[in-house]
């Protein structure tokens, strides 16, 4: 009985035989999640807009013994995304897991926020989730199975000065996740989101390098520190695997407690 229970507990988090597309995955959180899913058996398809950078990241994963490739297309372009997803399905095989990770940040006071940056944030942080999610779901729905994980943020729930448009986009990701569930759960898809708190990534490097901000963050976060990107892997593996078969439309905060305490 103990052997059977041990096997079951392992199989709940076993991704062997699956294929995962991770957008914005040439560095940072996306690359960390890609490697984490690969460690649990998934074949990885990295996505980005820079051919060399995305290819190098895939080669680095392959050098570690993981099955990894790359697909370069612009996730803010609906037609390019549909074509890119169709190409993966035709030449590599079905996409079982999608991680919508592509994102950007721009900081400025709201009264002076450039209109072109507002548009860029909307296209990168929320339109991409819609475009890629829709393109992949159209292939998943006939198969009656699939996992979609959208990367939201602690800013889906909270706000700080100078990032109001970013907060708006991440709030939209949270609600789009719910909407995807409402439309697609009946087809056997599970669509959930991970909401990271403050993690050491290239996107946050300016804040990491700011001693005043890091000191504020340590006091503000119950865990007392920045997060490390590897600490997001467990949540992704859970949402990508059999263990989350009845979890749908949920946003999982991985934030050291910052969203729970004043």
């Amino acid at each position: 009985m103990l052997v059977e229970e041990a096997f079951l507990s392992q199989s709940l988090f076993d991704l062997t035989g699956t294929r995962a597309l991770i957008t914005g995955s040439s560095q940072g959180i996306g690359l960390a999640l890609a490697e984490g899913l690969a460690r649990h058996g998934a074949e990885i398809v990295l996505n980005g807009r820079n051919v060399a950078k995305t290819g190098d990241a895939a080669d680095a994963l392959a050098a570690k013994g993981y099955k990894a490739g790359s697909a370069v297309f612009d996730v803010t372009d609906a037609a390019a995304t549909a074509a890119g997803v169709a190409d993966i399905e035709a030449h590599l095989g079905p996409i079982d897991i999608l991680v919508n990770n592509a994102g950007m940040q721009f900081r400025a006071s709201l009264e002076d926020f450039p209109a072109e940056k507002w548009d860029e944030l909307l296209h990168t942080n929320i339109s991409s989730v819609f475009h890629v999610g829709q393109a992949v779901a159209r292939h998943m729905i006939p198969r009656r199975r699939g996992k979609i994980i959208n990367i939201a943020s602690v800013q889906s729930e909270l706000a700080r000065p100078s990032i109001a448009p970013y907060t708006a986009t991440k709030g939209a990701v949270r609600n789009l996740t719910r909407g995807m569930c409402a439309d697609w759960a009946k087809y056997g898809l599970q669509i959930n989101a991970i909401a990271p708190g403050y993690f050491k990534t290239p996107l946050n490097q300016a804040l990491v390098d700011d001693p005043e901000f890091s000191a504020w963050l340590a006091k503000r976060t119950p865990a007392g520190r920045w997060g490390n990107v590897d600490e997001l892997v467990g949540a992704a593996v859970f949402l990508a695997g059999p263990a989350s078969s009845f979890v749908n439309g949920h946003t999982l905060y991985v934030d050291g407690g910052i969203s729970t305490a004043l």
Side-chain angles (χ1 to χ4, degrees):
M1 185 63 177
L2 291 177
V3 174
E4 292 177 359
E5 289 177 353
F7 174 77
L8 179 60
S9 67
Q10 290 297 318
S11 66
L12 288 174
F13 302 96
D14 184 9
L15 304 179
T16 302
T18 64
R19 182 173 295 102
L21 168 64
I22 303 96
T23 69
S25 50
S26 62
Q27 64 179 9
I29 287 175
L31 185 56
L33 294 182
E35 183 166 352
L37 297 180
R39 282 201 302 268
H40 285 261
E43 175 186 339
I44 301 302
V45 182
L46 301 182
N47 162 264
R49 288 185 289 189
N50 185 304
V51 174
K53 192 173 182 180
T54 307
D56 287 347
D59 289 344
L61 289 181
K64 294 181 179 181
Y66 303 125
K67 192 170 183 181
S70 61
V72 177
F73 55 87
D74 183 354
V75 295
T76 69
D77 183 320
T81 295
V85 168
D87 187 67
I88 294 169
E89 291 268 341
H91 296 101
L92 298 179
I95 298 168
D96 304 291
I97 301 160
L98 166 64
V99 181
N100 270 315
N101 172 73
M104 66 165 287
Q105 176 64 287
F106 184 85
R107 296 178 176 87
S109 58
L110 187 56
E111 65 274 18
D112 296 320
F113 206 93
E116 65 274 15
K117 286 300 181 181
W118 164 263
D119 291 338
E120 189 178 1
L121 277 163
L122 288 179
H123 288 308
T124 304
N125 292 358
I126 185 61
S127 294
S128 68
V129 177
F130 169 74
H131 294 323
V132 187
Q134 183 186 66
V136 171
R138 285 172 171 168
H139 292 273
M140 289 178 168
I141 286 170
R143 296 192 287 263
R144 313 293 293 191
R145 59 182 171 80
K147 300 277 193 172
I148 297 177
I149 304 169
N150 299 324
I151 303 303
S153 169
V154 70
Q155 308 300 343
S156 299
E157 186 71 24
L158 305 174
R160 287 192 67 252
S162 81
I163 59 166
Y166 178 85
T167 298
T169 64
K170 289 303 183 176
V173 169
R174 182 185 180 195
N175 255 15
L176 182 56
T177 299
R178 292 166 167 167
M180 288 176 168
C181 168
D183 273 50
W184 298 337
K186 62 188 176 186
Y187 300 117
L189 279 60
Q190 284 94 51
I191 306 95
N192 295 287
I194 297 172
Y198 284 87
F199 281 76
K200 294 178 181 178
T201 68
L203 199 67
N204 282 330
Q205 193 58 51
L207 297 179
V208 174
D209 294 338
D210 182 344
E212 184 178 352
F213 183 88
S214 289
W216 171 85
L217 181 67
K219 291 179 181 179
R220 176 66 179 79
T221 305
R225 61 178 176 84
W226 285 89
N228 297 307
V229 290
D230 287 345
E231 292 176 294
L232 292 166
V233 169
V237 172
F238 166 64
L239 293 176
S244 60
S245 61
F246 203 57
V247 179
N248 227 328
H250 177 67
T251 298
L252 175 55
Y253 286 83
V254 185
D255 62 3
I258 195 171
S259 61
T260 65
L262 292 173

